[in-house]
Amino acid sequence: MQIKGIIKWLVLILGLASIWQLSFTFVTRIVESDAKEYAEEQVAALSDLSESQKADKLDEYEKTYLDKMWDEDVYLGFTYGECKGLELSLGLDLKGGMNAVLEIQAGDAIRAHATSNEEVKANAELMGRMEDAIYKANAQEAEDAETRTSEGEDSENVIDIYLANMSEEDLEAIYGTSDIDDIASDLNDYVATSVDNLDRILHERIDLLGVIQPTIQRIGGTNRVMVELPGVDDPESATKLLASSATLEFWEVVDANMSQNIQDFLYGDATLAGLLSTTYEYKDQNGETQTSPVNGLFVAAANKERMADVNAYLERPEVRAALNEITGGSVKLAWSNKNSMDGTRGGIYTMYALQGRNGLYPAMDGSGIVRAESTTGQWGGYEVSMTMDENASAEWANLTGANIGKPIAIVMDDVVYSAPNVNDRIEGGRSSITGNFTAKESNDLANILQSGSVPAPATVVSQEVVGAESINAGMISFVLAFCLVLIYMFFFYKTAGMMANIALVFNVLLLMGVLVATKSTLTLPGIAGIVLTMGMAVDANVIIFE
């Protein structure tokens, strides 16, 4: 009898402990439901908004509400942030979100390694020959990959082909030696280090996304990293945040004569002329749609769907050589970050011609930025405010002072965010990036800049979004299996079956409590395991009753 009493008290204590652990999950769901209601009420009070603007505003108001509640007491002295950290963690297959695989490609690592040498980067001809060798190595690797069964790029193969296409003189100029074995070993080590750095940066950036218990896993034998982000509802911005190398640069824009020469070359090429657009649309100050021919600040324009084809054609060695004859190898072509019309993802994008210094150097890089944050602009809208250190502040003052009345392009990851005209010399090291941002876009950009850059850019090789369909299927399977077992036990064994059902409920409750207490993640296979556990418990009861 004493043992029976101990068991009852043990069951009661464990049951209450499990309910306590699960209570944080219910609290966070209530707060998040309140946030959605608050956002819907705020958006309902606004008028003249498009569907995309409503969606942006809903996200903005919901995030604002949750940010406000993050440090507020919501449950017995616990803040919302603390409750969020103690809730039941659901896997990607139950909560929804995205799965992405990122890869450090050898060609990008080779380029990043070489351009870390200032003298090499300043030598336009040497850089051109290196780019040709990388182009040939990537093309050969693409052919070899078709007959290979292993996953991912063979970086050693790319490096070997690249080195075979470089002369001893060029290798000596870039690496200080022409010993191919030493260079190959050095480059392979650099690729491995870049993957390690990518893993570290991903952790920092995912923290900025606010994702609870993400999964970041190296894929053995490759230069790939798999990332699972439960609960992420905007995969495009998440992918941009993860894959960005966060290389911020400030470039001068070519003068009118050079701009016209480049434009004549681009539109004079029959292939490019078929891909490019001769006009683009924009909205004036009154919100009216206007059409403008490509000229002035822009050297070309193209539909979003054709940009990749334009880029691929411009990467051809013979096309790059012809363009370098016109520009002297010191001009870089870069697309705008948004379309010219309304900032949506389709439409016409414009191309800038950026003037390099000492080859393809930007006028200034963003390494001196010590703080970046999303703010509201002076005339409304959102922008990213930057604060620079002392050395960068002096450099920025000199750059803006030398370009009064001219545009300076703000470029990140080879994309132009804005190219404002300089009205006066800017002292004090404070500046802003504008670009028709939404609140979320400006916040994402600030997060990228704040988290730091990676030496070699990562490429997203696959991406999968898990939506409501998978989530509902998982939950329905669990609830249906659980209810069927309860009904079966009660129908066949009446009172004894009801007692078994109570024990079964406590069993599931204890399992959930242990999952929360140990910070484990509940996944669809985990639910299958719970269903199997219920089946074994039922079998045990059936044997006893029979």
Side-chain angles (χ1 to χ4, degrees), residues 37 373 540:
E37 290 180 7
E373 58 184 342

Side-chain angles (χ1 to χ4, degrees), residues 151 217-225:
E151 182 181 13
Q217 181 180 349
R218 291 277 296 272
I219 300 177
T222 71
N223 300 322
R224 294 182 172 186
V225 177

Side-chain angles (χ1 to χ4, degrees), residues 27-46:
V27 170
T28 57
R29 298 294 185 271
I30 291 171
V31 174
E32 288 160 8
S33 177
D34 291 342
K36 290 183 183 296
E37 290 180 7
Y38 169 80
E40 289 170 356
E41 289 174 0
Q42 296 298 315
V43 171
L46 301 176

Side-chain angles (χ1 to χ4, degrees), residues 265-418:
F265 170 80
L266 295 175
Y267 285 91
D269 184 286
T271 301
L272 285 173
L275 296 171
L276 298 173
S277 173
T278 57
T279 61
Y280 64 93
E281 291 183 336
Y282 67 96
K283 287 188 176 180
D284 61 21
Q285 295 179 345
N286 299 320
E288 299 293 331
T289 300
Q290 305 291 341
T291 301
S292 172
V294 174
N295 56 24
L297 189 60
F298 310 123
V299 295
N303 274 306
K304 172 72 171 177
E305 295 77 14
R306 294 183 173 182
M307 285 168 57
D309 293 334
V310 173
N311 292 340
Y313 188 78
L314 290 173
E315 282 297 314
R316 293 184 178 183
E318 66 275 15
V319 178
R320 189 167 57 245
L323 184 59
N324 286 343
E325 287 184 10
I326 297 172
T327 65
S330 61
V331 172
K332 175 178 181 174
L333 302 181
W335 294 103
S336 58
N337 73 311
K338 287 187 174 184
N339 71 40
S340 60
M341 183 64 178
D342 55 9
T344 53
R345 296 184 180 96
I348 300 288
Y349 284 67
T350 49
M351 178 182 281
Y352 296 77
L354 310 177
Q355 182 64 57
R357 287 187 175 183
N358 301 322
L360 281 179
Y361 277 121
M364 178 179 170
D365 63 31
S367 58
I369 293 174
V370 295
R371 181 176 176 82
E373 58 184 342
S374 174
T375 60
T376 303
Q378 183 178 1
W379 311 109
Y382 297 92
E383 59 187 40
V384 176
S385 174
M386 302 177 295
T387 304
M388 302 177 183
D389 62 24
E390 185 177 353
N391 292 334
S393 298
E395 190 177 357
W396 181 241
N398 292 334
L399 177 60
T400 53
N403 285 276
I404 295 175
K406 302 175 184 177
I408 291 180
I410 300 173
V411 182
M412 193 175 76
D413 295 342
D414 297 328
V415 174
V416 179
Y417 278 75
S418 61

